[in-house]
Structures are given as C-alpha cells and as structure tokens.
Amino acid sequence: MQSFLDAFPRLADPREIRKIRDDLPVYILSGGDDPVGQRLEGVRVLIDRYRSAGLTSIAQDFYSGGRHEMLHEMNRRDVITNLLVWMSSIVERRS
C-alpha cells in the first residue's frame, strides 16, 4: 500500500498536474493556521500550480484562525455551508 506522503512528488510535478481535466471544478478550503498548508502559503502555491497547468475552475475559501480539520472547527457550520453552496452551483451549471 502506498502512503499518501509518497504521492507528494507527483502532486508537485507540473506534468502530472496537467493530466487533470482543465474543466474540472476544484474547491480548496483551508484554515489560516493550518501547519500542513503552511498557514496558507503552501495552499496558495498549490492554487498557482493548478492555474499554471491550465485549470480554470478553482474556488477557494480560507478561514482565519482555522487549523487542519476545518470540518471539525468551531465554525464548521459555515465551512459546510460554503462547501454545499459551491457544490450546488456546480450541479446547477451542469444541469
């Protein structure tokens, strides 16, 4: 079984990122204090890589003070609501 961490080099490889459908809707959410996302610095790098690879439908929500598990934070209702609103908008566009 391959570890998630073993996939990191592929996640940063522009050739691999270009394999993602450019019309695929992507939603990125992160807490501003998430050390895994390097307190948004790493998340912004990821978004830039996606855009550079040609992805055009990238939505994002950042939550000040949030950490890594945004669905378990005190403001999880807002996080879930924003996710559901984004999902609904994608479904409406596809219908």
Side-chain angles (χ1 to χ4, degrees), residues 9-20 49 52-53:
R10 285 184 46 218
L11 296 173
D13 184 343
R15 292 172 303 203
E16 293 294 325
I17 295 172
R18 278 191 217 93
K19 293 178 183 178
I20 301 171
R49 284 182 182 158
S52 294

Side-chain angles (χ1 to χ4, degrees), residues 26-46:
V26 176
Y27 180 71
I28 297 173
L29 63 98
S30 183
D33 290 339
D34 179 4
V36 175
Q38 299 169 326
R39 291 174 174 72
L40 298 182
E41 185 178 327
V43 176
R44 289 188 173 108
V45 168
L46 175 67

Side-chain angles (χ1 to χ4, degrees), residues 6-77:
D6 292 338
F8 279 172
R10 285 184 46 218
L11 296 173
D13 184 343
R15 292 172 303 203
E16 293 294 325
I17 295 172
R18 278 191 217 93
K19 293 178 183 178
I20 301 171
R21 284 186 10 223
D22 60 359
D23 66 335
L24 181 73
V26 176
Y27 180 71
I28 297 173
L29 63 98
S30 183
D33 290 339
D34 179 4
V36 175
Q38 299 169 326
R39 291 174 174 72
L40 298 182
E41 185 178 327
V43 176
R44 289 188 173 108
V45 168
L46 175 67
I47 292 169
D48 288 343
R49 284 182 182 158
Y50 283 171
R51 287 194 175 124
S52 294
L55 275 73
T56 58
S57 180
I58 303 171
Q60 65 201 35
D61 279 316
F62 301 143
Y63 298 91
S64 179
R67 295 168 301 218
H68 184 67
E69 295 190 36
M70 290 307 305
L71 298 177
H72 297 286
E73 291 282 353
M74 296 294 289
N75 63 334
R76 67 182 162 266
R77 188 168 288 185

